[in-house]
Amino acid sequence: MKIRKDDTVIVIAGKDKGKTGKVLRSFPQEKKVIVEGVNIQVKHQKPMGPQKPGGLVKREGKIDVSNVMYYDTSAKKRSRIGYKFLEDGTKVRFRKSDGEVID
């Protein structure tokens, strides 16, 4: 999976199309990610003592990785990601739009 935690992504399909956010968690086996502020779900929470009152709790849900794309904040555009090997043999990710190494 080419999208990792702490990447900035843009949603390209679904009800939140066009929103950008940071990846909070990734689930490579399921091919899903949790993006900050995207796919908000409402859960009815029971009261758990005096410290945790009950009510409606909003939280982010999982979204399929095929519905998000890497977002370059400096150029303000989305880009595909590829892999390549450097001269010393390390495998790195790079943006296919301009060829710049991400990490």
Side-chain angles (χ1 to χ4, degrees), residues 1-2 6 28-29 34 41 45 48 67-68 70 73 87 94 103:
M1 203 164 80
K2 296 177 182 175
D6 295 329
Q29 289 81 16
I34 294 179
Q41 299 172 344
Q45 184 72 41
M48 301 290 224
N67 294 333
V68 297
Y70 184 82
T73 54
E87 292 81 24
F94 74 100
D103 53 10

Side-chain angles (χ1 to χ4, degrees), residues 25-39:
R25 284 187 70 190
S26 67
F27 302 91
Q29 289 81 16
E30 302 175 36
K31 301 250 190 251
K32 293 184 184 284
V33 292
I34 294 179
V35 181
E36 184 178 33
V38 174
N39 194 17

Side-chain angles (χ1 to χ4, degrees), residues 60-76:
E60 292 93 357
K62 295 178 185 177
I63 186 170
D64 200 87
V65 76
S66 66
N67 294 333
V68 297
M69 228 175 150
Y70 184 82
Y71 186 72
D72 182 15
T73 54
S74 60
K76 298 208 183 326

